[in-house]
Amino acid sequence: MLITVITAVAQEHRADYRVVPLPDRIDGIKDKDFLLKSTCLIDYPAGNRDMERVAVMLSGYIEDLTSMHLSTRPVKSSTNNSGCISLSLDPKMINDEGYRITVTSKNIEIAGKTPAGVFHGIQSLRKSLPVGQTTTVIMPAAQIVSNPRFGYRGMHLDCVRHFFDAETVKRYLDIMALHGMNRLHWHLTDDQGWRIEIKKYPRLTEVGGWRKGTVLGHNSPVNDGIRYGGYYTQDEIRDIVQYATDRFITIIPEVDMPGHMLGALAAYPELGCTGGPYEVWCQWGVADDILCVGQDKTLQFVKDVLDEVMQLFPGEYIHIGGDESPRVRWQQCPRCQQRIKDLGLTAHGKQSVEALLQGWFTTQMQQYLAAHGRHIIGWDELLGCDVDTTATIMSWRGAEPGAEGAKLGHDVIMTPVGPLYFDYYQTKDTWNEPTAFGGCNTLKKVYDFDPVAADLPAGMRHHILGAQANVWTEYITCEPQIQYQILPRMAALAEVQWMEPAAKDYQDFKARLPHLVDIYKHYGWTYRAKSLAVEEEEQEQP
Ligand code: TNX
């Protein structure tokens, strides 16, 4: 009896390297265990600021989970680092973001080709730790190696339909880091609000940042009549971008155009075809009023906005939206029709002259951004607008547009509504769930998704840069609800993003998940506990 108890206690303090996402290899080494204690130091190469920062983060993570405090120490490579966790760079490693953890009785080495790789190794080590106060963690001798399958491992967050403060966005980034993700697609402008301060156009946030009320229920015609809004100042954005960069996450801002623009039109009605007046929308859905691209001042406006956006976001990609852009106003607008004439656009195939006008407008922005060394990402509607292949396509209306885009030579990011819309329900039992957009994307459906369609020809597969889940927030009003929608589905997505399909195994994932969930609990994050139960899954299967 006593022996059982002692073993149980010892077990509790043992690391388990079978984390989520599961590393490519975990090979035992014939050696004694390493004993992780607060006397161990975390060594990093002296003078390397990134490595210093990740060393301090590792110390913080260990303290969060076990209450042991380990100090960090800069070292010259020759230092004998026995009894330590040493962080190192190994230029011979193949993948920029891959990692190798070697645990022997003497020390733990976390190596990467870049600090980003070391950071992902740190996340793995963190997830292997037991949760709860302790003075020693037994680390079995082993070598753990992992390389991500995709370079683009994203999450999206809509901060327009509901606004979330900077602290919430930072916690979202923390959750992404824990799951090995590296791209945040940040949806900042839409019909229901403009959320990014633009110095040249202050009314965008003064007027466009606020709506008179928020829809009640499921896009009913009734709103609550309570003024709602908010925006990020440029200082806040810089701070968030730095926070992301510190975690090797690139933020891709989205300024949706030419549709989903009522926030801007309410502030500057002269940018619309009818001249307004317009109101920041108190409904969800697709609005008919979009930017009037028949006038040069609209193009100048967008370029001015993009100038400030580029200053704030140093990453290679800017998302210019392009989705759900009705053309009824353009059909009636003399200026837009004149532009079509001047450009000599003629309808061909399935493409109307107005679709081609959207293509022309998009290309203008694409070229403007290209002249500043940036690339555009747009929703898959761009495939119907004759844009050239330097535009990266985000496939959302299913996976088929992505395959089509890849065949045409576009790079593609897979975010199909099924199963990667995390604003959708995660069960058929919607009655007992917080209100969601609709649909049903279960944990298993997310897990089973393969971003590279089985029939995509081998020569086109490299165009699939990766996958991302989208979190639209029409019905998501607060941070616990965001977390409920993403956890634990993000865990399933992490394995889609990191692992080769042949290595994935849902049952095995489910067995590894509870430990990750213990970490969610430890940080006080909300998650959907029912997704862990086997019973529900059986009900969900057809
Ligand atoms: C479609 S995805 C939209 C969003 C909505 C979302 C709701 C996309 C490009 N457009 O505007 O919020 O559906 O799931």
Side-chain angles (χ1 to χ4, degrees):
M1 171 71 185
L2 189 63
I3 291 170
T4 327
V5 171
I6 292 170
T7 331
V9 170
Q11 288 282 336
E12 249 178 43
H13 298 269
R14 179 176 283 270
D16 181 352
Y17 307 130
R18 293 179 46 79
V19 299
V20 176
L22 186 67
D24 296 340
R25 299 189 64 109
I26 303 172
D27 298 316
I29 293 178
K30 277 212 181 89
D31 195 355
K32 291 206 191 85
D33 301 327
F34 180 85
L35 299 181
L36 184 66
K37 297 178 189 297
S38 57
T39 47
C40 300
L41 294 169
I42 301 174
D43 286 352
Y44 63 91
N48 187 320
R49 299 284 287 276
D50 284 331
M51 296 293 274
E52 176 176 3
R53 188 180 69 252
V54 298
V56 171
M57 283 180 173
L58 173 58
S59 170
Y61 295 142
I62 295 174
E63 190 159 1
D64 289 345
L65 297 179
T66 68
S67 300
M68 297 191 293
H69 178 77
L70 279 65
S71 299
T72 60
R73 175 176 68 171
V75 292
K76 301 260 182 283
S77 51
S78 55
T79 312
N80 170 2
N81 53 13
S82 172
C84 297
I85 303 182
S86 63
L87 308 182
S88 65
L89 294 172
D90 177 355
K92 289 193 295 297
M93 289 174 69
I94 37 167
N95 187 302
D96 278 354
E97 293 184 287
Y99 63 83
R100 182 184 65 228
I101 305 173
T102 314
V103 183
T104 66
S105 58
K106 291 203 175 59
N107 72 350
I108 300 179
E109 188 200 30
I110 305 179
K113 185 172 181 177
T114 67
V118 174
F119 182 70
H120 292 306
I122 286 173
Q123 296 301 332
S124 252
L125 188 87
R126 171 195 193 189
K127 285 178 276 195
S128 77
L129 297 175
V131 178
Q133 194 169 352
T134 185
T135 51
T136 312
V137 176
I138 299 164
M139 311 285 296
Q143 184 162 80
I144 303 139
V145 176
S146 205
N147 296 309
R149 179 180 179 204
F150 294 106
Y152 188 111
R153 303 182 304 279
M155 285 295 291
H156 152 287
L157 185 63
D158 168 10
C159 289
V160 174
R161 276 54 177 276
H162 282 93
F163 177 69
F164 303 98
D165 65 13
E167 287 310 306
T168 302
V169 179
K170 287 183 181 176
R171 265 186 298 270
Y172 198 77
L173 290 162
D174 286 335
I175 297 174
M176 288 178 61
L178 179 74
H179 292 83
M181 300 192 184
N182 64 359
R183 300 282 184 272
L184 171 64
H185 168 178
W186 199 7
H187 189 73
L188 286 166
T189 68
D190 213 305
D191 296 314
Q192 298 81 8
W194 184 282
R195 307 264 177 257
I196 167 174
E197 179 189 25
I198 300 294
K199 303 270 190 203
K200 192 159 186 184
Y201 298 97
R203 284 172 61 84
L204 284 172
T205 43
E206 283 165 17
V207 175
W210 304 88
R211 62 178 178 249
K212 286 186 179 158
T214 301
V215 179
L216 290 177
H218 243 269
N219 208 12
S220 76
V222 186
N223 74 63
D224 60 13
I226 301 169
R227 184 175 138 91
Y228 182 93
Y231 64 91
Y232 306 97
T233 64
Q234 294 203 349
D235 282 342
E236 280 177 309
I237 288 177
R238 271 186 283 270
D239 182 48
I240 290 169
V241 168
Q242 187 59 52
Y243 193 87
T245 308
D246 286 349
R247 286 154 186 77
F248 305 94
I249 296 172
T250 305
I251 302 189
I252 296 163
E254 180 185 355
V255 179
D256 205 344
M257 63 184 84
H260 285 288
M261 263 286 173
L262 273 173
L265 291 180
Y268 298 98
E270 65 273 22
L271 300 176
C273 293
T274 65
Y278 306 104
E279 277 195 352
V280 182
W281 221 21
C282 298
Q283 260 179 269
W284 314 131
V286 180
D288 284 340
D289 286 300
I290 67 172
L291 289 178
C292 172
V293 300
Q295 28 179 12
D296 292 340
K297 70 176 169 203
T298 308
L299 275 82
Q300 191 55 49
F301 163 81
V302 178
K303 288 177 183 170
D304 291 341
V305 168
L306 290 175
D307 282 343
E308 294 192 32
V309 168
M310 283 190 281
Q311 290 223 332
L312 292 168
F313 296 94
E316 174 188 354
Y317 291 109
I318 307 278
H319 200 305
I320 50 85
D323 60 315
E324 299 179 326
S325 196
R327 287 143 191 165
V328 283
R329 294 290 181 265
W330 288 359
Q331 283 161 3
Q332 310 290 324
C333 172
R335 288 182 304 241
C336 289
Q337 291 302 319
Q338 187 61 44
R339 177 84 80 193
I340 287 170
K341 259 201 205 133
D342 295 348
L343 294 167
L345 302 177
T346 45
H348 60 83
K350 279 192 221 147
Q351 313 204 11
S352 65
V353 280
E354 286 80 15
L356 296 172
L357 184 61
Q358 184 178 345
W360 169 80
F361 167 72
T362 306
T363 302
Q364 296 299 300
M365 295 311 131
Q366 180 175 18
Q367 287 169 355
Y368 187 71
L369 290 169
H372 293 80
R374 308 299 181 98
H375 284 108
I376 64 165
I377 301 180
W379 297 110
D380 61 48
E381 279 91 336
L382 292 194
L383 290 173
C385 300
D386 264 8
V387 293
D388 76 35
T389 54
T390 58
T392 296
I393 299 297
M394 222 170 229
S395 185
W396 73 279
R397 295 175 300 177
E400 298 74 20
E404 185 194 329
K407 284 177 193 155
L408 292 170
H410 291 272
D411 282 345
V412 168
I413 296 153
M414 299 302 285
T415 72
V417 283
L420 294 186
Y421 270 37
F422 286 3
D423 56 332
Y424 285 22
Y425 287 107
Q426 19 201 346
T427 169
K428 287 180 189 149
D429 176 23
T430 58
W431 188 253
N432 293 302
E433 292 292 300
T435 307
F437 189 88
C440 177
N441 289 332
T442 61
L443 184 66
K444 180 152 193 326
K445 281 191 194 161
V446 176
Y447 194 83
D448 288 341
F449 178 66
D450 186 349
V452 182
D455 56 359
L456 192 68
M460 292 160 187
R461 295 180 161 227
H462 67 279
H463 280 307
I464 310 294
L465 304 184
Q468 163 183 296
N470 293 344
V471 183
W472 300 100
T473 58
E474 286 94 335
Y475 304 104
I476 299 177
T477 62
C478 58
E479 188 181 10
Q481 200 185 352
I482 296 179
Q483 292 173 352
Y484 185 88
Q485 291 301 118
I486 63 175
L487 301 177
R489 286 188 287 193
M490 257 176 95
L493 177 59
E495 299 223 332
V496 170
Q497 293 169 333
W498 271 81
M499 295 172 66
E500 292 301 326
K504 283 163 61 197
D505 175 336
Y506 187 65
Q507 292 313 324
D508 186 69
F509 163 71
K510 287 291 288 268
R512 287 179 281 112
L513 187 55
H515 181 63
L516 183 62
V517 169
D518 284 343
I519 297 178
Y520 299 166
K521 277 188 222 166
H522 189 78
Y523 284 102
W525 299 338
T526 303
Y527 61 94
R528 185 169 187 276
K530 280 187 192 162
S531 293
L532 298 169
V534 177
E535 307 77 60
E536 177 178 277
E537 222 161 79
E538 283 163 357
Q539 278 167 24
E540 297 291 349
Q541 299 319 307

